Amino acid sequence: MQEQNTLYIVVPCYKEQEVLPETAKRLRAKLVQLTAEGKISDKSRVMFVNDGSSDETWPIIRSLHEQDPDFFSGVNLSRNRGHQNALLAGLLTAVRFADMIISMDADLQDDVNAVDAMVDAYHEGYEVVYGVRSKRETDTFFKRLTAEGFYKVMKALGVDIVFNHADYRLMSRRAVEGLAQFGEVNLFLRGIVPQIGFPSTTVTYERAERFAGESKYPLKKMLAFATDGITSFSVKPIRLVFTAGVVVFAVSIVMLLYALFSKLAGNTTAGWTSLMGSIWLLGGIQLLGLGIVGEYIGKIYNETKRRPRFIIESVLNKE
Ligand code: UDP
Ligand code: MG
């Protein structure tokens, strides 16, 4: 087993100079403890990814590595590319050295002690272990409402995501190699990871308050993130237009009959019948047309993402 249990903890960092020293200290202690328990190899590392920070984040990471290369490594992005991209950069770099990779935020909101349970689950054979928040007491009312609402909307739209799971998770090397096959640019990892497959489980933890510094997800980024999540995984909004088209078209037939009937009954002003008829009919036809065009765009959209059509877990064959 010794060769099979090198752990890398990937931490994307954007302007995290206030928390980094503390995060590094706690993660280092965690690696020391797990190594002593024989659960991970002594090649295990914490890999900080600097997402184009303008503060002292990268100099701090560099000095951590220089002073303690057996525990800390770093990846420096050329500029700020956002949380999801920074995380992917870290995962795809770490996969070259690691057997299992845990991704975690820099702000210590993710309970470091959940790492133990994740590593245990890995040893039991799980290849993806999702960290799930048991409570959100430390989040503001607004953050909780928007975040939980978001998970519900995603579920309603048929997107396969894990409730109350952010990007705190363990992935085996195979799972990350599977992830690497998803070539899409609009990255929404929480939606992609369940698509990879392999045995998975969850570990619950209590989400703490940000240790220091401020949230790097202002409302604007949160909305962009949610839109990305929905439009990258669901064509249901397009279907909605199509359904509306069908409904309006059906109503237009009823309205047409009603208008004709009123005319025949003789209680209409001149021009009313044709006006009523064309408004409903045209509206219905336009919505239907949009829905049909949308359906094709949805197909094109899915094709351009070039997602892997399958990921093989194992092959049995006698040569
Ligand atoms: N982050 C990043 N690039 C960005 C924004 C955020 O790498 O452009 C990192 C940040 O340093 C942190 C993680 O993503 O490690 C989550 O950000 P944050 O804690 O601010 O989000 P919140 O917990 O408030 O949703
Ligand atoms: Mg945070």
Side-chain angles (χ1 to χ4, degrees):
M1 271 307 265
Q2 198 55 36
E3 261 83 65
Q4 289 284 300
N5 55 8
T6 298
L7 167 71
Y8 267 59
I9 302 179
V10 169
V11 186
C13 310
Y14 178 59
K15 297 195 192 163
E16 300 285 11
Q17 59 182 14
E18 290 94 351
V19 292
L20 261 183
E22 181 66 22
T23 309
K25 203 171 90 193
R26 293 203 201 170
L27 290 179
R28 187 185 193 282
K30 183 51 75 183
L31 289 186
V32 170
Q33 174 221 320
L34 289 170
T35 315
E37 289 170 4
K39 290 180 180 171
I40 60 173
S41 83
D42 55 6
K43 298 252 180 341
S44 301
R45 304 270 186 277
V46 179
M47 180 173 267
F48 291 109
V49 182
N50 173 35
D51 185 16
S53 311
S54 49
D55 64 358
E56 290 300 298
T57 299
W58 181 243
I60 294 173
I61 295 172
R62 203 168 43 208
S63 76
L64 281 169
H65 170 72
E66 277 158 12
Q67 286 161 21
D68 219 351
D70 288 333
F71 284 96
F72 300 113
S73 46
V75 174
N76 194 20
L77 298 192
S78 61
R79 53 157 295 171
N80 182 251
R81 296 296 302 144
H83 176 211
Q84 301 285 293
N85 289 311
L87 185 49
L88 186 73
L91 292 177
L92 297 188
T93 309
V95 76
R96 308 209 298 257
F97 317 104
D99 300 304
M100 52 181 141
I101 305 179
I102 291 178
S103 52
M104 185 189 283
D105 286 354
D107 55 8
L108 294 171
Q109 284 191 287
D110 303 329
D111 180 9
V112 174
N113 290 318
V115 165
D116 298 65
M118 288 183 177
V119 172
D120 288 344
Y122 169 82
H123 286 301
E124 283 164 31
Y126 292 103
E127 307 223 14
V128 181
V129 187
Y130 301 99
V132 171
R133 295 166 193 168
S134 55
K135 297 190 209 144
R136 279 186 173 264
E137 269 161 17
T138 53
D139 280 350
T140 60
F141 174 72
F142 178 73
K143 178 105 189 175
R144 195 160 65 208
L145 192 79
T146 47
E148 292 192 342
F150 170 67
Y151 288 106
K152 290 191 179 129
V153 170
M154 291 294 276
K155 272 266 185 281
L157 289 172
V159 185
D160 187 12
I161 58 170
V162 180
F163 192 72
N164 265 345
H165 157 69
D167 284 305
Y168 186 22
R169 75 176 80 81
L170 178 145
M171 293 173 81
S172 67
R173 179 197 288 152
R174 283 206 300 188
V176 175
E177 282 167 352
L179 174 69
Q181 294 185 43
F182 286 76
E184 54 206 85
V185 176
N186 293 299
L187 256 200
F188 185 72
L189 289 172
R190 275 166 235 187
I192 295 175
V193 175
Q195 308 267 323
I196 300 171
F198 295 125
S200 68
T201 184
T202 58
V203 162
T204 50
Y205 68 98
E206 271 175 47
R207 186 158 160 92
E209 235 158 310
R210 201 174 221 292
F211 182 75
E214 307 175 336
S215 172
K216 306 300 181 296
Y217 264 102
L219 185 62
K220 204 174 126 208
K221 267 196 193 172
M222 254 163 68
L223 284 177
F225 182 66
T227 316
D228 244 18
I230 291 169
T231 52
S232 305
F233 283 91
S234 180
V235 287
K236 282 210 178 160
I238 293 177
R239 299 258 158 82
L240 228 59
V241 175
F242 187 75
T243 316
V246 173
V247 170
V248 172
F249 192 74
V251 172
S252 85
I253 304 287
V254 175
M255 283 308 280
L256 215 64
L257 289 175
Y258 169 68
L260 274 174
F261 187 75
S262 304
K263 188 180 166 64
L264 289 178
N267 46 14
T268 58
T269 12
W272 182 81
T273 313
S274 49
L275 214 62
M276 264 332 254
S278 30
I279 287 174
W280 279 94
L281 203 65
L282 277 178
I285 290 173
Q286 277 169 357
L287 275 178
L288 261 181
L290 269 181
I292 292 170
V293 171
E295 197 58 38
Y296 282 100
I297 293 182
K299 289 265 158 16
I300 295 172
Y301 179 61
N302 278 327
E303 289 293 334
T304 50
K305 277 195 295 227
R306 301 199 149 271
R307 285 189 181 164
R309 279 166 291 186
F310 49 79
I311 295 168
I312 292 175
E313 199 256 342
S314 51
V315 176
L316 297 178
N317 177 45
K318 179 175 184 290
E319 279 191 59

